[in-house]
Structures are given as C-alpha cells and as structure tokens.
C-alpha cells in the first residue's frame, strides 16, 4: 500500500472510530471561516432581536430544529412550502403545527445571512445556529455548532408519522425512535427538558383529562390540583365550538415558562407533567432515575441537554455535494 493510501485509510478509520460515521469529519466548526466568517454573530443578532420582541419564539426555534432533524435528517426540509413533486410537505402534517411567527423569524435570519453572504450558508445550518441561540437566550450555556449541512430538495408529510414523538407515546416507543436516530435514552430525557418552555394545544390533553381508559376518565398519575387547573383551561370537548377548542393552549411548564430549567423535572416527579409522554418519563423505571438526577442537579442536565443538541444536529445530515444551498428556505432553487 502506498504511503498516501495508508494516510487516507488511517484518516477514514479515525473518523469512523470517533463518531461511528463520517458525518463529524464533514461538518466543521470552522466551515464558514473564509466564506462567511461573521455568520454565527449575524444569526445570533438576528435571533436575539426577534426574541426581544417575542420571547416565546425560543421554544418554536428549538422545536423546529428537532422536528427537522427527526424527519429526513437535519436538511431544512421542514421549511419547504412546496417541492417539485407537488406532494404535501412536512410542515402540513398535524404534528408540525408551527406558528407563522416562528417561520417568519427563520425567514428573517436567512435574509440577514443572505445579505452578508449570498448563496453560502444553508438553511439547515441556519436552523442549527438559530436553535443554539434560542437555548442560550433562555438560560443555558453556549455550545459549539459545526457547519456544513446541506439543504434537502424533497419534503413529504407522509414521512412524519412514526418519526416524531406524539403527546401520548410510551417511553418504549420514544426510546426506539431516538435509537433509530443514533440518540440515547439519556438524550431522550435531556431533550424532553425543552418542554420547560413553550405551549401545547389543549387537544393533546383531552384524552388524558377526560377519556383516559375504559375504566378511568382521567390519567391516575396526575396530581389532582394540577388536573383541575388544566381542565379549567382546557374544557371538555364539546363544551365550546371546535374553532375555539382548536386554538386553546396551555404552557408546558407554567412556573418558569420562558426559562430552560429543571423545574420541569421536579414537576414531573410531583405528578404535574402536562403531556402524557412527559409524565411517562417518571412512570417508567428506564427513565425515572435520569429524571431524578436531572431534577437534583441542574448543571448535569444543562450539560446533558447541550450535548444532546450537538448530537441532534448531526442526524442524517447532507454534506459535500449532496442537496443544495437554498437562497429561499421555503423553496428549492
């Protein structure tokens, strides 16, 4: 074997051993060093300006990045309004009910980047950087985000079912989903902490509050006072018109709804989780211990959350000559 071949082989093996894939060798924390050196600062300024006016956008930006990566990989396919195939795109799925304000925030961030570096920075990287800034603004430490993701040219609502956790999923179902993405059970519990901010529609709570099983109207794991509070905000189906009911929302963690913190885990241990899938984390022995550790040690959770966000941003990415760099995140070039 020639010397150059041995070097190339060694480099490949090193990359494979490091992260079990070549993804980390293709993403680079200095990817835009020469082509758009101020990109992270530009995105930080743009996101921060939006959050000053609408703090609740932080939850949407984090969720948008997560939903993008779990369906078809971190390729910004969640942002597409249409594709050449003409089929329904991811964002039309009921599981992807993002506010127009969140999507407009991403449009603004991309526009700010395009003014500085036209045709250079992918929408997938914009999402990853924007989510990081949302995390920082809501109380957690800075973490590194590597660049080099490329944008997908397809998006299908048909791929959403089975790839995103639902509000009623069991730990087993969610863990299997995370495993398929190369993430661990600890990552599942850590990233669930994003529910310490944001809101959910009451429609996701109706079964848990009013029609839990054939023998019990309400989930027995719920704290009684907590359930009464939720019922006051989310009336029984039929009490109001469907149009009104569909718009009703409640905070996922009402004590500190604009701050990423471990109050979420403490609330779960007290039977005060809002979503059934969240409360399941304390009911399942596989995850309860992790919930208890995070509740007792905020710094351990912060480290676990940011580490999981780093791994999330590497899920099934397009790199090199794959995909494209969209100029408009809502449409392929």
């Amino acid at each position: 074997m020639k010397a150059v071949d041995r070097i190339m082989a060694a480099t490949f093996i090193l990359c494979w051993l490091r992260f079990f894939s070549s993804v980390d060798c293709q993403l680079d924390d200095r990817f835009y060093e020469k082509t758009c050196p101020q990109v992270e600062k530009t995105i930080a300024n743009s996101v921060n300006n939006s959050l000053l006016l609408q703090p609740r956008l932080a939850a949407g930006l984090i969720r948008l990045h997560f939903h993008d990566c779990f369906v078809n990989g971190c390729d910004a396919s969640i942002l597409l309004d249409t594709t050449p195939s003409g089929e329904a795109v991811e964002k039309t799925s009921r599981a992807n009910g993002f506010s127009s304000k969140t999507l407009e925030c991403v449009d603004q961030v991309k526009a700010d980047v395009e003014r500085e570096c036209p045709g250079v920075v992918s929408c997938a990287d914009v999402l990853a950087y924007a989510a990081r800034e949302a995390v920082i603004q809501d109380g957690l430490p800075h973490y590194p985000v590597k660049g080099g993701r490329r944008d997908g040219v397809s998006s299908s609502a048909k791929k959403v079912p089975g790839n995103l956790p639902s509000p009623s999923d069991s730990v087993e179902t969610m863990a299997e989903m995370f495993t398929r993405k190369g993430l661990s059970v600890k990552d599942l519990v850590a990233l669930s902490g994003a529910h310490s901010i944001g809101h959910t529609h009451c429609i996701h709570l109706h079964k848990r509050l009013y029609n839990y099983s054939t023998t019990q109207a309400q989930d027995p794991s719920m704290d009684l006072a907590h359930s009464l509070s939720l019922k006051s905000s989310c009336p029984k189906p039929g009490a109001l018109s469907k149009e009104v009911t569909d718009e009703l929302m409640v905070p996922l963690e009402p004590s500190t709804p604009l701050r990423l913190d471990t109050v979420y885990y403490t609330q779960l241990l007290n039977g005060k989780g809002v979503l059934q899938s969240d409360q399941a984390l304390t009911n399942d022995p596989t995850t309860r211990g992790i919930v208890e550790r995070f509740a007792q040690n905020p710094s351990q959770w912060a480290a676990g959350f940011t580490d999981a966000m780093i791994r999330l941003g590497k899920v099934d990415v397009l790199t090199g000559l794959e995909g494209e760099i969209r100029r408009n995140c809502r449409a392929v070039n």
Side-chain angles (χ1 to χ4, degrees), residues 97 199-205 234 245-250 275:
H199 291 66
T200 188
H201 283 91
C202 285
I203 192 172
H204 297 313
L205 309 182
C234 299
T245 300
D246 287 350
E247 295 301 317
L248 293 177
M249 302 179 75
V250 292
L275 298 178

Side-chain angles (χ1 to χ4, degrees), residues 59-79:
L61 290 172
I62 297 168
R63 181 169 171 255
L64 194 60
H65 180 47
F66 177 86
H67 281 222
D68 180 50
C69 292
F70 260 52
V71 181
N72 218 42
C74 306
D75 66 348
S77 53
I78 188 71
L79 300 177

Side-chain angles (χ1 to χ4, degrees), residues 226-276:
H226 177 57
S227 67
L228 292 174
S229 175
L230 288 175
K231 287 179 178 179
S232 69
S233 299
C234 299
K236 193 172 184 176
L240 300 171
S241 69
K242 186 178 184 301
E243 291 75 14
V244 173
T245 300
D246 287 350
E247 295 301 317
L248 293 177
M249 302 179 75
V250 292
L252 288 165
E253 200 296 285
S255 300
T256 55
L258 296 176
R259 187 164 185 81
L260 287 164
D261 58 28
T262 56
V263 174
Y264 161 81
Y265 297 102
T266 301
Q267 295 287 59
L268 293 185
L269 293 171
N270 291 330
K272 295 182 179 181
V274 173
L275 298 178
Q276 184 176 327

Side-chain angles (χ1 to χ4, degrees), residues 88-99:
V89 293
E90 289 172 37
K91 68 167 62 169
T92 64
S93 168
R94 288 187 64 182
N96 286 327
F98 295 102
S99 75

Side-chain angles (χ1 to χ4, degrees), residues 12-31:
F12 174 81
I13 292 171
L14 178 62
C15 288
W16 185 86
L17 288 174
R18 189 177 178 191
F19 285 104
F20 304 99
S21 78
S22 62
V23 168
D24 208 65
C25 294
Q26 295 166 337
L27 297 180
D28 192 334
D29 54 9
R30 293 194 238 173
F31 189 83

Side-chain angles (χ1 to χ4, degrees), residues 4-319:
V4 66
D5 293 332
R6 287 197 297 271
I7 293 172
M8 291 179 66
T11 301
F12 174 81
I13 292 171
L14 178 62
C15 288
W16 185 86
L17 288 174
R18 189 177 178 191
F19 285 104
F20 304 99
S21 78
S22 62
V23 168
D24 208 65
C25 294
Q26 295 166 337
L27 297 180
D28 192 334
D29 54 9
R30 293 194 238 173
F31 189 83
Y32 296 109
E33 186 175 53
K34 294 182 179 179
T35 56
C36 193
Q38 298 299 312
V39 60
E40 293 187 51
K41 183 177 179 181
T42 299
I43 292 176
N45 289 338
S46 185
V47 170
N48 293 343
N49 288 338
S50 293
L51 294 183
L52 282 173
L53 297 174
Q54 299 178 82
R56 285 171 55 176
L57 288 178
L61 290 172
I62 297 168
R63 181 169 171 255
L64 194 60
H65 180 47
F66 177 86
H67 281 222
D68 180 50
C69 292
F70 260 52
V71 181
N72 218 42
C74 306
D75 66 348
S77 53
I78 188 71
L79 300 177
L80 288 170
D81 286 339
T82 59
T83 64
S85 72
E87 66 179 310
V89 293
E90 289 172 37
K91 68 167 62 169
T92 64
S93 168
R94 288 187 64 182
N96 286 327
F98 295 102
S99 75
S100 60
K101 296 297 183 183
T102 302
L103 298 171
E104 288 165 6
C105 174
V106 175
D107 290 339
Q108 183 60 58
V109 174
K110 175 64 170 174
D112 291 343
V113 171
E114 283 294 304
R115 273 194 296 273
E116 184 173 327
C117 313
V120 173
V121 181
S122 69
C123 297
D125 277 347
V126 165
L127 278 182
Y129 289 129
R132 191 260 308 274
E133 296 310 317
V135 168
I136 294 171
Q137 286 303 306
D138 274 22
L140 293 190
H142 179 280
Y143 59 91
V145 173
K146 295 189 176 186
R149 298 166 192 78
R150 303 269 291 182
D151 297 326
V153 296
S154 64
S155 180
S156 173
K158 294 178 181 178
K159 293 185 178 181
V160 175
N163 279 308
L164 286 177
S166 79
S168 59
D169 275 348
S170 66
V171 168
E172 182 181 8
T173 297
M174 293 187 291
E176 190 275 332
M177 204 175 293
F178 270 64
T179 299
R180 291 203 315 265
K181 308 301 178 184
L183 300 173
S184 68
V185 170
K186 181 182 177 183
D187 292 331
L188 161 62
V189 181
L191 289 176
S192 294
H195 288 171
S196 62
I197 59 175
H199 291 66
T200 188
H201 283 91
C202 285
I203 192 172
H204 297 313
L205 309 182
H206 286 162
K207 179 177 174 59
R208 190 176 187 217
L209 290 173
Y210 301 109
N211 190 28
Y212 185 69
S213 70
T214 56
T215 58
Q216 293 176 302
Q218 179 182 298
D219 182 352
S221 68
M222 296 182 77
D223 173 81
L224 180 57
H226 177 57
S227 67
L228 292 174
S229 175
L230 288 175
K231 287 179 178 179
S232 69
S233 299
C234 299
K236 193 172 184 176
L240 300 171
S241 69
K242 186 178 184 301
E243 291 75 14
V244 173
T245 300
D246 287 350
E247 295 301 317
L248 293 177
M249 302 179 75
V250 292
L252 288 165
E253 200 296 285
S255 300
T256 55
L258 296 176
R259 187 164 185 81
L260 287 164
D261 58 28
T262 56
V263 174
Y264 161 81
Y265 297 102
T266 301
Q267 295 287 59
L268 293 185
L269 293 171
N270 291 330
K272 295 182 179 181
V274 173
L275 298 178
Q276 184 176 327
S277 55
D278 284 341
Q279 195 62 60
L281 297 175
T282 62
N283 298 335
D284 191 301
T286 307
T287 49
R288 183 178 177 90
I290 305 174
V291 172
E292 291 173 340
R293 287 199 300 275
F294 285 162
Q296 295 164 5
N297 193 328
S299 61
Q300 185 179 116
W301 170 67
F305 183 87
T306 53
D307 286 348
M309 287 293 287
I310 292 171
R311 285 188 285 276
L312 172 67
K314 298 174 185 175
V315 172
D316 297 333
V317 298
L318 301 176
T319 58

